[in-house]
Amino acid sequence: LKLIKTKYSFYHHTCMADQCTMDTAPTGLVGRVACKNATNSADCVYAEVLHCQQCDTTFEYDRLHGVPALLDTAHVRNGVAGQCEEFSRLGHGVFVSLGFEARYVYDFTDHVWIELRIPAKTGQWIHADPSEGIFDNPKMYEAGWGKKLTVILAISPEEIEHVTARYTDNYPATVQRRGFSEDLLYKVISQANQRLRYELPLQRFGQEHKSSWDDPLQGVAAMVHFAS
């Protein structure tokens, strides 16, 4: 986690246009377009067209989702991986390639990180934040950042789990802030999990379905990029 944090940098909505020397200049969103340089749709979902306010030029900033493309930002984008979503995708891919079982965690007050099950299959899920280079400090958002948490969900292809209580010392306050009942929340999660169970194929292109700890995410390519 610390290596990801030090090797890659966070995108702070500043100018990245080649012809602009003011790389700390603020930008404004003009719109979204298809990616120009993505080799496949998994690498880049779309590009943001951003306007550099001080040097009066525009540039395209790819929102990368593919793990190899995110790893490659160390060489092609001065290490600017993206924001918490991209850092979490990068961390998820690296840890799965190392043989860990990993899942995404989505905070409804605007943050994303991951959890790792240690040991795989039988262990507990443990907080890991690639954006911050932090491991096993789940109360950091409430105690350190001052977040007013509402709902936090852990998400994998097989299951959605309500994990808010793990990240707060005042769970009743999160219930009050979210504006809907516990019964409704658990009902919606149960419906979503039921759909996952019925819709997730038992076999995928002739291969048995594998969970993240069985299926390295382009592991060799990812680790070659990460180690370089």
Side-chain angles (χ1 to χ4, degrees), residues 77-89:
R77 206 160 71 179
N78 295 321
V80 178
Q83 298 173 305
C84 60
E85 177 184 351
E86 287 85 2
F87 269 84
S88 294
R89 282 183 168 272

Side-chain angles (χ1 to χ4, degrees), residues 4 7-11 16 61-65 69-74 77-88 90:
I4 292 173
K7 187 167 184 175
Y8 297 90
S9 57
F10 206 84
Y11 179 57
M16 294 177 63
Y61 172 73
D62 290 346
R63 297 304 303 263
L64 302 172
H65 282 217
L70 286 167
L71 290 164
D72 205 38
T73 58
R77 206 160 71 179
N78 295 321
V80 178
Q83 298 173 305
C84 60
E85 177 184 351
E86 287 85 2
F87 269 84
S88 294
L90 177 56

Side-chain angles (χ1 to χ4, degrees), residues 1 87-88 91-92 95 103 105 111-116 118 125-138 140-141 167:
L1 287 167
F87 269 84
S88 294
H92 185 281
F95 279 109
R103 64 183 182 180
V105 181
H111 192 43
V112 185
W113 58 89
I114 63 175
E115 288 182 341
L116 306 174
I118 302 174
W125 288 103
I126 301 177
H127 160 257
D129 191 329
S131 301
E132 301 299 318
I134 299 296
F135 179 70
D136 196 17
N137 187 8
M140 60 179 282
Y141 310 109
Y167 292 90

Side-chain angles (χ1 to χ4, degrees), residues 88-224:
S88 294
R89 282 183 168 272
L90 177 56
H92 185 281
V94 169
F95 279 109
V96 168
S97 297
L98 290 170
F100 287 90
E101 187 175 4
R103 64 183 182 180
Y104 294 101
V105 181
Y106 176 64
D107 164 23
F108 277 44
T109 61
D110 193 25
H111 192 43
V112 185
W113 58 89
I114 63 175
E115 288 182 341
L116 306 174
R117 186 184 296 220
I118 302 174
K121 296 186 181 181
T122 60
Q124 294 182 337
W125 288 103
I126 301 177
H127 160 257
D129 191 329
S131 301
E132 301 299 318
I134 299 296
F135 179 70
D136 196 17
N137 187 8
K139 306 295 176 62
M140 60 179 282
Y141 310 109
E142 184 177 71
W145 293 15
K147 271 181 167 280
K148 304 297 183 183
L149 301 172
T150 56
V151 176
I152 300 174
L153 301 178
I155 303 169
S156 72
E158 294 85 13
E159 182 184 28
I160 298 172
E161 184 181 351
H162 177 216
V163 297
T164 310
R166 185 179 305 157
Y167 292 90
T168 180
D169 286 324
N170 190 356
Y171 183 76
T174 69
V175 177
Q176 185 177 17
R177 283 192 292 265
R178 76 173 67 125
F180 49 86
S181 68
E182 285 281 270
D183 289 343
L184 178 58
L185 176 61
Y186 279 104
K187 179 180 179 181
V188 171
I189 293 174
S190 177
Q191 290 172 344
N193 281 326
Q194 185 176 23
R195 291 189 63 179
L196 283 175
R197 285 193 294 271
Y198 280 101
E199 294 177 3
L200 191 68
L202 295 179
Q203 291 188 340
R204 189 174 297 168
F205 301 108
Q207 301 293 326
E208 292 184 2
H209 172 68
K210 298 178 180 180
S211 61
S212 62
W213 49 267
D214 281 327
D215 188 16
L217 182 60
Q218 302 184 50
V220 174
M223 294 317 297
V224 166

